[in-house]
Amino acid sequence: MVDLIRAACLTHYAETARSVGLDPAMMLKSVGLPPCLTDPDIRIPGGGVRRLLEASAAAAGIDDFGLRLAERGGFSNLGPVALIARDQPTVGAAMEAIGRYMHIHNESLRQRIERHGDSVAIIPELLIGRPVPARQAVELAVGVSYRILSAFLGPGWRPLDVHFTYPVLRNRQTYRRFFKCNVAFGAEFDGIICTDIDMDRPMAAADPSIARYAERYIETVAARSPTFDGKVRELIATLLPKGHCSVDRVAQHLGCDSRTVQRRLADNGKSFSEIVDEQRAEVVVRLIEEKDRSLSAVAALLGFSAQSALARWFRERFGCSITEWRCNPRRHLMDQKTR
């Protein structure tokens, strides 16, 4: 099954690409990724992201594109995972929380923490399952881990070492400037070495009560369905109110073609149109409550060809007109529950 990543991992892709002479939109198109740079929570195929990073490095003629991207990002890009980490009691606990919930942000990335005497290794790992070019993705992951640790430990913090399994590069200057420490290539793992004292440092302004609340919230996010059907449903729910929902667009986000989406849904007794219809029913109630939004705009957002088509569908689905619903939404909601 395709691994999905929050588009937040590409938050700073556009400016990084432009800084090395690339056209961000053209690069996305070249690797089959959908337009996704303005919506950090939309999910996109991990394979497409890895191809994008490698293609960007090759097109720009540089070795360190992933690291340049990491240099502009950091802790906030983790979205819901950041909520639980920032209120942990110690830096070590925060990094462990990030590792525990990293799959919510990136399904193909895990983070291990290994303690050896008085040193600690923070090791981001890509779980791809097959040999593919991923140097830039690895360097992005290690770079983001460094940026997170720097945010927790302050600007004066330095790691003991940074390791990469890849061969030595022609130019190490970017790496030494970024990490501010010795960078070893051809190592046994990709990661950051720091002291156990660093991990025991208390987090500034940590609030345990907020951490518990964040953990309950993130558990609900983590409980989302990992099945193909579930991923399709999640993408439809995200794309529908933006007016960009189609089987072709969903297929782009899943890194496959529309026939594959239809076939895999059919294998489980579902159809794309049925799921769209279910999601429309959930979204339309909220949209029509916004009385300053025209019904023609609602129809366009939900993918109907005209306002009249929306009106017919609404009456068939809910047993009343949109005007009648707006006049007494509570009563009609109760009627739906008893139907």
Side-chain angles (χ1 to χ4, degrees):
M1 185 178 293
V2 65
D3 61 290
L4 299 182
I5 303 176
R6 291 178 63 249
C9 69
L10 297 178
T11 296
H12 300 282
Y13 175 78
E15 57 262 45
T16 305
R18 292 190 189 103
S19 73
V20 292
L22 303 180
D23 181 327
M26 290 298 294
M27 292 305 299
L28 286 172
K29 186 176 181 180
S30 73
V31 297
L33 282 176
C36 58
L37 300 182
T38 59
D39 189 347
D41 289 317
I42 197 71
R43 302 177 82 74
I44 53 180
V49 173
R50 292 185 286 275
R51 289 194 301 274
L52 176 68
L53 299 180
E54 295 297 325
S56 298
I62 57 177
D63 294 319
D64 57 2
F65 187 87
L67 207 60
R68 295 186 190 211
L69 184 56
E71 197 166 19
R72 297 171 185 265
F75 183 56
S76 62
N77 289 358
L78 294 180
V81 180
L83 292 177
I84 192 169
R86 67 186 180 187
D87 285 297
Q88 297 298 314
T90 66
V91 172
M95 296 305 290
E96 287 170 1
I98 290 171
R100 195 160 57 248
Y101 294 108
M102 179 58 76
H103 64 282
I104 294 172
H105 174 69
N106 184 336
E107 292 180 349
S108 60
L109 183 64
R110 298 294 182 269
Q111 178 178 270
R112 288 192 291 118
I113 300 178
E114 295 184 355
R115 296 178 181 267
H116 303 281
D118 57 0
S119 66
V120 179
I122 309 296
I123 306 173
E125 291 183 311
L126 286 179
L127 307 179
I128 303 173
R130 60 193 184 282
V132 295
R135 179 173 194 153
Q136 303 304 320
V138 168
E139 293 188 358
L140 173 60
V142 174
V144 168
S145 292
Y146 169 80
R147 294 273 292 169
I148 291 169
L149 285 165
S150 296
F152 291 162
L153 293 164
W157 173 76
R158 301 288 184 272
L160 296 176
D161 286 293
V162 171
H163 288 190
F164 287 108
T165 57
Y166 298 107
V168 64
L169 296 170
R170 295 187 301 272
N171 184 357
R172 301 188 186 188
Q173 294 306 311
T174 302
Y175 296 82
R176 288 173 175 165
R177 176 181 56 79
F178 182 90
F179 293 110
K180 302 180 178 66
C181 71
N182 177 61
V183 179
F185 293 91
E188 294 182 357
F189 63 89
D190 302 292
I192 299 167
I193 310 296
C194 55
T195 68
D196 58 350
I197 295 174
D198 291 334
M199 293 294 99
D200 292 337
R201 287 261 297 272
M203 291 283 286
D207 187 330
S209 62
I210 293 180
R212 288 192 294 272
Y213 170 79
E215 188 156 6
R216 287 195 296 271
Y217 164 72
I218 208 168
E219 288 289 357
T220 65
V221 176
R224 99 175 136 247
S225 174
T227 65
F228 188 82
D229 293 12
K231 291 182 177 185
V232 170
R233 190 177 298 275
E234 180 187 345
L235 283 166
I236 289 173
T238 303
L239 293 169
L240 193 59
K242 303 177 189 298
H244 301 308
C245 187
S246 68
V247 66
D248 290 330
R249 177 62 69 87
V250 168
Q252 262 194 309
H253 281 271
L254 291 170
C256 60
D257 58 36
S258 58
R259 294 195 334 187
T260 299
V261 173
Q262 298 280 26
R263 175 179 55 77
R264 293 193 63 175
L265 290 176
D267 288 343
N268 291 316
K270 297 281 186 180
S271 73
F272 185 81
S273 59
E274 286 173 348
I275 298 176
V276 169
D277 195 61
E278 292 167 4
Q279 292 300 318
R280 277 174 171 167
E282 293 182 17
V283 173
V284 71
V285 172
R286 174 172 54 80
L287 291 179
I288 64 175
E289 286 176 354
E290 301 171 12
K291 296 187 179 180
D292 57 340
R293 190 191 298 269
S294 70
L295 292 183
S296 59
V298 173
L301 283 174
L302 295 181
F304 290 101
S305 58
Q307 180 178 329
S308 57
L310 166 65
R312 286 194 299 273
W313 171 85
F314 191 92
R315 181 174 287 280
E316 290 173 2
R317 181 83 191 193
F318 294 98
C320 64
S321 69
I322 295 175
T323 301
E324 290 169 334
W325 183 285
R326 279 176 162 175
C327 289
N328 197 344
R330 182 173 295 181
R331 191 196 81 188
H332 290 297
L333 277 172
M334 295 299 295
D335 289 345
Q336 290 299 307
K337 291 178 180 178
T338 58
R339 287 178 66 177

